[in-house]
Amino acid sequence: MPSLNGNSAVNGSSKFLDYRSAVETLNEYKSRDGLCIEDLVDTKQRGGLTYNDFLILPGYIGFPASEVVLDSPITKRISLKTPFVSSPMDTVTEHEMAIHMALQGGLGVIHHNCSPEAQADMIRKVKRYENGFIVDPVVISKETTIGEAKALKEKWGFGGFPVTESGKLGSKLLGIVTNRDLQFEDALSQAVDKVMVTELVTAQLGVTLPEANKILAKSRKGKLPIVDKDFNLVSMISRSDLTKNLHFPLASKLPDSKQLICAAAIGTRPEDKVRLKKLVDAGLDIVILDSSQGNSMYQIDMIKWIKQEYPGLDVIGGNVVTREQAANLIAAGVDGLRIGMGSGSACITQEVMAVGRPQAAAVYSVSAFAAKFGVPCIADGGVQNVGHIVKGLALGASTVMMGGLLAGTTESPGTSFVSREGKLVKAYRGMGSIDAMQDKKAGAGSKNSQASNAGTARYFSEGDSVLVAQGVSGSVAHRGSIGKFVPYLAAGLKHSMQDCGMRSLKELHESAVNGILRFEVRTASAQLEGGVNMESYEKKLYA
């Protein structure tokens, strides 16, 4: 026995149990440490909670963070490898954001504060970015000029166009015009048949995608045309897609076409039915009905119409924050729900309208109800860091939508500038801000651009003579590329789930429901304690 230097009493007692019985002794307690999810979000006892008002208690770590699975449904039929969604705001998501979110396993929702044609064009760019078999390639004829071919390259963001006799798919293949063929040509009026490649490596109709990929890899060519027995062009595959498959294994893609999954928002006005047709023709996979208050006759009618006209299109309704709101949209046939009202960083709906709900309370209430009908939910708003993402998912959301957190990335359409403090920032505005509601791009030159504006439609203000702001305009810190920022968020989420002892989001949700996952309320002092308490410091989020 080692010598002692004092009294060995602990908590006033010197009689102890056998240390080997510690785990069994837990059975003497009536419940597990902390609160179950129902007690945590009991609004009658605690009022409405936000993400900052509670913590998740740690569990047992019996696996590395790399084994955590983040697969989660975004709709009844479509799942993502990474549960992150970018918001349909005009300073957050256009085609660049949608492409890079999908490549990282998430989803970008293209905003509708633009003309229907511009929105459809963005969807086409997303769908053409990555393919398996390209069944609708951009085809040109031998009479197409070099100038026209260069213009197509500028429009679509890629080169390498097959040349056929008629300039259409299904016609005899004559050659291919590549970037190298056009790069140094300045005779813009010259026909492409003077510079196109005619020595082609092709594959016959009926070849499988793995077989075609092997042929392409061995050929050292950029494109592999697929032809029928008469040498008519049927489809093609691209080497760049092989590279993307290698670099982005988690990419959100359709299993048949291998194209990136694309989502877009629309309103609930009659003209949005015309807009939706253009978007569906462009290849849209998921449509989000964009409204600050989704429980309306306009949205319910639109959901029913879409499900009848486009049964293959998944519909996400919202926004909602109560079971009663959700019930009407579920009954109308939605494939997913978007939760949140007034909790966004650029939103002032709760302040101005006195309507809304604290986000944690809203996410739990709606998600728990929607789960009864197999309807996945998006926690939209109030997300400022990785911890908030974890909490939104723990409360029952299947995915998390972010606006301000992603607005500062390189891929967002916002303008970058240097602030008065000398920091690099990007412009960011709420869709309920006066700036957004007065934007004329959606009107496409019409006399009444306010009636076509996404901001006024979202807040039912199309016909108002005085616009009441429900959002603000400002800026957010520049965060670098989505290519680094989203992997940082995913890694943080995996490590948090490891701390909780959860191997997957499915297990996280099940453990919350059956009481294994435990929570604790944070007092104001606890929130201060959990923050940084230093005179000065530098906060680097990732490296």
Side-chain angles (χ1 to χ4, degrees), residues 92 97 345 383-386 388-389 400-409 428 476-477 479 482 485 488-489 541:
V92 178
M97 179 67 77
S345 60
V383 175
Q384 299 170 9
N385 51 52
V386 176
H388 291 167
I389 293 174
V400 173
M401 180 174 281
M402 296 166 281
L405 201 61
L406 299 178
T409 59
Y428 174 55
V476 292
R479 298 184 183 276
I482 283 289
F485 190 63
Y488 149 70
L489 296 178
L541 295 179

Side-chain angles (χ1 to χ4, degrees), residues 313-387:
L313 182 66
D314 282 11
V315 183
I316 295 177
N319 280 31
V320 297
V321 292
T322 70
R323 292 190 297 268
E324 288 74 19
Q325 286 179 297
N328 285 335
L329 303 191
I330 292 171
V334 291
D335 301 294
L337 285 171
R338 188 174 165 201
I339 304 170
M341 188 174 185
S343 56
S345 60
C347 186
I348 55 174
T349 296
Q350 294 182 12
E351 173 189 336
V352 175
M353 300 292 130
V355 178
R357 195 174 196 180
Q359 187 67 349
V363 170
Y364 171 72
S365 180
V366 175
S367 295
F369 180 76
K372 298 176 183 291
F373 308 93
V375 177
C377 291
I378 304 170
D380 173 25
V383 175
Q384 299 170 9
N385 51 52
V386 176

Side-chain angles (χ1 to χ4, degrees), residues 38-204:
E38 291 87 354
D39 290 341
L40 171 74
V41 294
D42 186 343
T43 55
K44 293 180 180 178
Q45 281 191 341
R46 309 186 198 285
L49 299 185
T50 68
Y51 291 145
N52 284 335
D53 290 327
F54 69 96
L55 287 172
I56 304 170
L57 296 187
Y60 171 71
I61 297 178
F63 53 90
S66 59
E67 288 186 3
V68 174
V69 177
L70 300 182
D71 294 41
S72 192
I74 180 76
T75 68
K76 292 177 180 178
R77 297 184 291 189
I78 297 176
S79 291
L80 305 177
K81 295 290 185 184
T82 309
F84 304 149
V85 185
S86 67
S87 179
M89 303 170 73
D90 59 8
T91 51
V92 178
T93 309
E94 291 188 347
H95 63 278
E96 281 291 324
M97 179 67 77
I99 287 170
H100 288 87
M101 285 295 293
L103 288 176
Q104 296 296 335
L107 183 71
V109 185
I110 296 173
H111 74 85
H112 60 118
N113 205 23
C114 57
S115 69
E117 293 75 19
Q119 192 179 18
D121 192 45
M122 287 189 269
I123 291 171
R124 289 189 193 95
K125 289 178 179 178
V126 176
K127 301 304 291 184
R128 288 185 181 274
Y129 186 81
E130 185 172 352
N131 301 271
F133 286 110
I134 306 171
V135 295
D136 59 344
V138 178
V139 183
I140 60 178
S141 71
K142 62 182 180 180
E143 288 83 20
T144 301
T145 66
I146 290 174
E148 290 169 337
K150 286 187 174 184
L152 285 172
K153 179 181 181 298
E154 184 69 24
K155 176 182 178 181
W156 293 111
F158 60 84
F161 305 116
V163 182
T164 66
E165 282 186 344
S166 67
K168 295 180 180 179
L169 192 68
S171 180
K172 186 175 181 180
L173 179 65
L174 303 177
I176 288 181
V177 175
T178 69
N179 286 328
R180 285 175 291 182
D181 301 324
L182 300 173
Q183 190 171 15
F184 300 111
E185 291 291 336
D186 51 12
L188 301 183
S189 60
Q190 182 174 275
V192 295
D193 64 347
K194 304 299 182 183
V195 298
M196 69 183 184
V197 176
T198 55
E199 295 181 4
L200 304 174
V201 176
T202 63
Q204 285 293 310

Side-chain angles (χ1 to χ4, degrees), residues 177-246:
V177 175
T178 69
N179 286 328
R180 285 175 291 182
D181 301 324
L182 300 173
Q183 190 171 15
F184 300 111
E185 291 291 336
D186 51 12
L188 301 183
S189 60
Q190 182 174 275
V192 295
D193 64 347
K194 304 299 182 183
V195 298
M196 69 183 184
V197 176
T198 55
E199 295 181 4
L200 304 174
V201 176
T202 63
Q204 285 293 310
L205 178 64
V207 66
T208 65
L209 185 57
E211 290 170 346
N213 284 335
K214 287 181 180 179
I215 296 171
L216 182 60
K218 290 180 180 179
S219 73
R220 301 180 184 276
K221 300 286 187 180
K223 299 285 192 296
L224 179 70
I226 311 298
V227 297
D228 63 16
K229 60 183 177 61
D230 297 319
F231 214 68
N232 295 317
L233 180 66
V234 177
S235 63
M236 62 189 299
I237 65 172
S238 171
R239 178 175 292 274
S240 64
D241 292 328
L242 289 177
T243 305
K244 291 165 189 170
N245 286 335
L246 180 64

Side-chain angles (χ1 to χ4, degrees), residues 1-8:
M1 286 287 293
S3 60
L4 302 178
N5 64 353
N7 194 329
S8 61

Side-chain angles (χ1 to χ4, degrees), residues 263-266 276 279 284-289 306 313-317:
I266 65 170
L276 182 59
L279 306 188
L284 185 67
D285 302 302
I286 301 172
V287 63
I288 287 187
L289 300 183
I306 294 173
L313 182 66
D314 282 11
V315 183
I316 295 177

Side-chain angles (χ1 to χ4, degrees), residues 244-291:
K244 291 165 189 170
N245 286 335
L246 180 64
H247 292 165
F248 303 103
L250 300 178
S252 304
K253 294 186 288 189
L254 295 175
D256 49 356
S257 68
K258 303 299 181 182
Q259 291 180 323
L260 296 179
I261 296 172
C262 186
I266 65 170
T268 56
R269 300 164 297 199
E271 56 265 37
D272 283 301
K273 295 179 179 180
V274 179
R275 177 185 287 264
L276 182 59
K277 185 180 187 310
K278 295 179 185 293
L279 306 188
V280 171
D281 290 344
L284 185 67
D285 302 302
I286 301 172
V287 63
I288 287 187
L289 300 183
D290 191 26
S291 175

